[in-house]
Amino acid sequence: MDAHPRRHIRAQTYGFFLLLFAVLLVCSHLSFLALPYYWDEAGYYVPAALDLYHSGALLPYSVAPNAHPPGLMAYLAAAWSIAGYHPAVTRSAMLLVATFGLLAAFLLAIELSRESSGAPAFVAVTLLACSPLFFAQSMMAQLDMPAMVLTTVALLLFIQDRVPLSAAVCVALVLVKETGVVAPLVFFLWLAKERRWRDAVWFVLPAGALSAWLLLLWIKTGHPLGSSGFAQYNLWYPLAPSRVAVNLLRRLYTLAIANFHWIGTLAIVLAWRSSRIYRSRAWRVAWWLFGAQTLVVTLLGGAVLERYLLPVFPILYAAMAAALSLYRGVPRIVCSAALAAGMLACIFVNPPYPFPYEDNIAFTDFVHLQADATDYLEHWYSGARITAIWPMTLELAHPELGYVHRPIDYVRLANSAPDELRKLDWSKVQVLVVFSKNWDPDYSLMRLAPVQALWKRFYGFVPSSTENQARASVPLPMVQRFERRGQWAEIYAAPDTPVKPYIGTPSQRVSLPGGHALAARLAQSR
C-alpha cells in the first residue's frame, strides 16, 4: 500500500489555480499582446497557420513544408476562427496554453514531491513562472510551449498510472512536435521493463500518429521530412562529433548554470548524495524522460535553440524545489528566494555572450526596432527598393505579419557582414537598412578572436557589422537611427531616392528623415 496516498483534489481547486495563473500571465504580458511576430513566428508558424485558416491546407503553401506536424497551426487557426486574426489573438491563445502549462507543472511537482517536506510544489511553479525562457515563450506562436504542456500532462498521467489517458495526450503531443515522440517511447520502454505489455501497447499509438503525418508529408512533397535541406540541417549536420560535444556543453550550461540555475543544481547534487528523495518510481520515470528529451534535442536540430529544452523545465524545477525543501529554516528561504529573484532579473538583463533574443524579453526590443524601422520606411520610402537582410525582408513583403500596411519592394542580402556590404553595387542601392541581428555588446565574449574562430568552425558563424563597421562600409548618408536597450537599427538612403512624405497625423514612431526634411516640407505644402 502507498505510504503517501494521493489526496482527492476538488474541481474548484483546479479552477482557482488556473484562474490565478491566467491572471499572473496576462498581467505580466499585457504590454506585449499586440506585438508583431518575431523571427520563426513570422518565418514559418504564422504563415503555415494562415494557410490552414484560409484554405484548410494541412501542408503550408506560402512557406516550404517541413516535418513539424500541424497541431499548433490547427490550434491558432481555431483561435482566429473564433476571435479574428490579429497578433493579440495569437498571443492570447499562446498565453492560455502557458496557463495550463503552469497548472500542469504545479500538479506534477505535487506528485513528485509527495515525500518531501514543506510545499516544494509552490516553489517549483514559481521558478517556472520566473524562468526567462518560459516568460518569453509563453506568448510566442512556436511549438515548444505546447510541447512542454503536453509532455508534462502525459508524464503526470503516466505517474498516476492513467495509461490510456497518458497515451492519448502523447498522440496530441507528437502532432504538435515531432520530437515529442520521446515521451511515449520512454513510457513504452518503462512498461516493457515492468512486463506490463498490455499497457505498453497504448504507447504505440503516438508513433502511429506521427508516422501517418510523415507519410502524408512524403506523399505530398516527395520527402518524409518535407525536404532534403531540412533533413540535412536538422538530422545530419548536428551529428558531427565536434558539434555534438559543443552542443552537449551548451545544453548542460543552460540546464545547470545559466539564469542562476547553479543554485538549484548545487541543491540537487547535495540532495542526490544525502537523501533518497529521487528514488521513487515517479522520480525515476521523470529523470529518464528528462535525460532522453535532452539527449534528443542535443543530437537533433541544427539551430541548438534553448527553447527546445522547455519540455524538461517542469521536471528540472520540481527537482530543484524538492532539493531545496531539504534545507532548514533561513537557508531554504534564502536559497529559494535568490534563485527565483536571479531568474526574474534575467528576464530583463541580457548575458555577456550571444544568445537568441527569444530567450528573454530582448526579443520584444528587436520586434519594436523592426516595427520602428518598417514604419519609417513605409511612411517615407514606400516607393523605393529597400536593401536589407532577413527577417526585415519578410516583414516588408507580408503585411499580415503586422509591420506594414502594403508590400514594399526589397533586395535581400545574405548577411550584413562588412565584406557583404562592400560587395554591393551602390549605384543601384536606394535605401539600405542595417540592424543588430545578434546580441553583441562591447563586453560580449564573441568579440574575442578565439571564440569567433570556434563558432565559425563549428557553426559557420559570420559576425554582422557593428555600428562603426556599417558606417565605414556604407557610402550613403544615414537618415535615421533607432536604438533600444543595446540593440539598434540604422537606415541609409541615396540622396536622389524619391521621398514619399506622410500626409496627415504622423505616427508617434515616425520622425522626418534628416537628409530630406526640406523636400518633405515642400511636398507637404503643395
Side-chain angles (χ1 to χ4, degrees):
M1 185 175 177
D2 194 341
H4 299 272
R6 188 176 294 111
R7 291 189 303 173
H8 175 70
I9 301 177
R10 295 184 302 169
Q12 295 92 322
T13 304
Y14 289 116
F16 169 78
F17 281 106
L18 189 66
L19 180 61
L20 176 66
F21 296 147
V23 170
L24 170 69
L25 283 176
V26 171
C27 289
S28 60
H29 291 77
L30 198 58
S31 61
F32 306 121
L33 287 184
L35 206 65
Y37 301 113
Y38 169 80
W39 217 282
D40 286 348
E41 291 183 295
Y44 184 80
Y45 300 116
V46 169
L50 283 172
D51 291 342
L52 181 57
Y53 174 59
H54 289 307
S55 63
L58 282 178
L59 267 68
Y61 49 81
S62 61
V63 290
N66 59 42
H68 297 324
L72 171 66
M73 283 61 89
Y75 172 68
L76 293 178
W80 296 335
S81 297
I82 296 171
Y85 174 72
H86 192 276
V89 175
T90 306
R91 305 220 176 276
S92 298
M94 297 311 298
L95 285 173
L96 179 61
V97 172
T99 298
F100 280 97
L102 285 177
L103 179 62
F106 182 52
L107 297 176
L108 177 65
I110 291 174
E111 192 69 32
L112 291 173
S113 60
R114 291 167 64 201
E115 298 180 13
S116 301
S117 60
F122 286 96
V123 175
V125 76
T126 299
L127 295 178
L128 181 61
C130 291
S131 165
L133 190 62
F134 178 87
F135 185 91
Q137 292 298 318
S138 61
M139 57 177 152
M140 299 186 72
Q142 299 187 138
L143 304 179
D144 306 279
M145 181 58 67
M148 185 207 83
V149 176
L150 293 170
T151 300
T152 305
V153 173
L155 174 59
L156 174 63
L157 293 171
F158 183 83
I159 290 172
Q160 294 174 344
D161 213 26
R162 300 161 74 179
V163 169
L165 278 177
S166 178
V169 173
C170 285
V171 170
L173 171 60
V174 300
L175 293 178
V176 165
K177 190 171 185 183
E178 63 280 6
T179 54
V181 75
V182 171
L185 177 60
V186 168
F187 300 154
F188 175 88
L189 293 175
W190 191 272
L191 292 172
K193 182 175 74 72
E194 295 177 336
R195 300 188 181 280
R196 296 171 57 184
W197 300 107
R198 183 174 296 178
D199 286 336
V201 169
W202 282 102
F203 292 100
V204 175
L205 295 177
L210 180 60
S211 298
W213 161 250
L214 295 178
L215 179 61
L216 174 64
L217 193 63
W218 195 352
I219 293 171
K220 295 293 186 179
T221 67
H223 196 283
L225 297 183
S227 71
S228 58
F230 182 89
Q232 169 63 29
Y233 183 64
N234 290 284
L235 287 182
W236 314 122
Y237 172 80
L239 293 179
S242 56
R243 292 195 191 98
V244 170
V246 173
N247 292 351
L248 181 60
L249 290 175
R250 292 176 64 180
R251 294 311 192 198
L252 292 175
Y253 175 79
T254 298
L255 293 171
I257 300 174
N259 299 324
F260 286 79
H261 280 186
W262 59 268
I263 297 175
T265 301
L266 180 60
I268 290 175
V269 171
L270 294 176
W272 207 296
R273 296 177 59 184
S274 62
S275 76
R276 299 178 59 85
I277 62 171
Y278 301 132
R279 306 295 174 84
S280 67
R281 176 183 184 270
W283 267 116
R284 284 181 287 140
V285 173
W287 282 124
W288 273 103
L289 178 56
F290 181 95
Q293 185 72 44
T294 301
L295 180 63
V296 165
V297 298
T298 299
L299 297 178
L300 304 179
V304 201
L305 296 171
E306 280 71 19
R307 71 172 190 251
Y308 299 162
L309 291 169
L310 201 56
V312 305
F313 272 33
I315 302 173
L316 177 67
Y317 293 137
M320 290 180 178
L324 289 168
S325 72
L326 297 178
Y327 294 3
R328 298 301 176 195
V330 174
R332 176 196 295 184
I333 296 173
V334 170
C335 291
S336 299
L339 177 54
M343 292 169 61
L344 191 63
C346 289
I347 294 176
F348 308 95
V349 180
N350 297 338
Y353 48 80
F355 76 110
Y357 288 141
E358 64 183 13
D359 286 1
N360 69 12
I361 65 165
F363 94 88
T364 66
D365 297 320
F366 182 87
V367 170
H368 279 301
L369 283 175
Q370 297 287 295
D372 289 341
T374 52
D375 187 48
Y376 183 89
L377 293 169
E378 184 174 36
H379 277 78
W380 299 106
Y381 295 108
S382 61
R385 185 174 59 255
I386 313 300
T387 301
I389 61 173
W390 190 93
M392 179 166 285
T393 52
L394 196 69
E395 298 156 3
L396 294 172
H398 298 282
E400 65 272 17
L401 298 179
Y403 290 90
V404 296
H405 294 89
R406 53 193 178 280
I408 298 177
D409 190 23
Y410 68 87
V411 174
R412 179 173 172 175
L413 287 177
N415 58 68
S416 60
D419 289 344
E420 187 73 17
L421 294 178
R422 283 192 284 267
K423 288 191 300 185
L424 284 172
D425 182 353
W426 292 103
S427 65
K428 297 180 180 178
V429 176
Q430 293 183 307
V431 178
L432 171 74
V433 184
V434 184
F435 53 87
S436 51
K437 192 175 181 180
N438 304 297
W439 175 245
D440 190 27
D442 293 338
Y443 50 84
S444 170
L445 299 179
M446 280 303 296
R447 291 184 181 269
L448 299 176
V451 179
Q452 283 196 7
L454 183 72
W455 243 240
K456 184 175 182 180
R457 177 181 177 183
F458 292 141
Y459 299 105
F461 173 73
V462 178
S464 300
S465 294
T466 64
E467 297 163 271
N468 291 334
Q469 288 173 330
R471 293 169 191 172
S473 304
V474 179
L476 306 179
M478 180 170 55
V479 295
Q480 187 56 277
R481 169 184 169 80
F482 300 98
E483 186 172 1
R484 194 180 181 96
R485 288 199 335 131
Q487 300 182 45
W488 54 272
E490 294 180 345
I491 300 174
Y492 299 82
D496 57 351
T497 301
V499 176
K500 177 194 172 185
Y502 177 70
I503 307 299
T505 304
S507 164
Q508 292 181 350
R509 292 198 303 242
V510 176
S511 61
L512 219 53
H516 298 289
L518 179 59
R521 284 199 296 269
L522 290 173
Q524 285 180 316
S525 66
R526 293 194 181 106

